[in-house]
Amino acid sequence: MNEQEPPPIDRLAIQRVLRRVDGFAPGLRLDDATARRVVEEVITDMPTRTDDDRLMEVRKRLLIATE
């Protein structure tokens, strides 16, 4: 039995969300790599959700990352 590969990450969605969170992460003193990792995780976890939904989740996770 062949294992199915996970769907490819939506690179355009990542770029859209990263642009929208651009000023938020540095304001929390988080680097770009951390913001990108969180965005990629959210896009992977929420593939069918809207960018607005994803953005809300990214902001929540970034806030948690500062604790």
Side-chain angles (χ1 to χ4, degrees), residues 6 8-9 11 13 16 19 23 28 31 33 35 37 40 44 46 50 57 61-62 65 67:
I9 295 176
R11 300 283 176 209
R16 286 191 308 265
R19 271 193 302 262
L28 297 174
D31 59 23
R37 181 182 49 79
E40 287 176 355
T44 300
M46 304 171 70
T50 67
E57 183 63 24
R61 293 186 191 189
L62 290 173
E67 295 179 348

Side-chain angles (χ1 to χ4, degrees), residues 20-61:
R20 293 180 67 186
V21 78
D22 188 38
F24 189 75
L28 297 174
R29 299 187 189 274
L30 295 173
D31 59 23
D32 291 340
T34 301
R36 182 173 198 69
R37 181 182 49 79
V38 169
V39 169
E40 287 176 355
E41 288 174 1
V42 169
I43 299 295
T44 300
D45 293 348
M46 304 171 70
T48 61
R49 303 297 291 270
T50 67
D51 283 352
D52 288 336
D53 291 340
R54 293 169 175 169
L55 182 61
M56 287 189 300
E57 183 63 24
V58 166
R59 287 181 174 166
K60 284 194 275 187
R61 293 186 191 189

